[in-house]
Amino acid sequence: VIAGCATGKLTYVKAGTTEVERKRDESECLRSALDHTYRAHILIPIAIDRAVFQSCLEARGYTAVRR
């Protein structure tokens, strides 16, 4: 069996967490992962440190799964 690249959306799950709680946690972790050098600019792409985002959610008890 040859394994290929994983496809699908990466989602974070945590047993017993509501959709509202998950969205709140994702939003807070996203803010902590933003490259703040671009904070004052509106119409430019925002750099997000994915490792910081994932670490933040994992510290809150979430697990990343592909769907």
Side-chain angles (χ1 to χ4, degrees), residues 14-58:
K14 179 179 172 183
T17 303
T18 67
E19 182 73 11
V20 171
E21 291 168 325
R22 185 186 59 79
K23 286 183 178 184
R24 182 201 63 224
D25 288 339
E26 285 182 349
S27 179
E28 290 174 3
C29 288
L30 182 60
R31 278 194 297 277
S32 72
L34 290 177
D35 181 343
H36 297 290
T37 59
Y38 298 106
R39 186 173 244 176
H41 305 293
I42 295 173
L43 299 175
I44 60 172
I46 303 298
I48 297 170
D49 186 330
R50 291 176 189 259
V52 170
F53 178 72
Q54 185 169 351
S55 294
C56 178
L57 286 171
E58 288 174 352

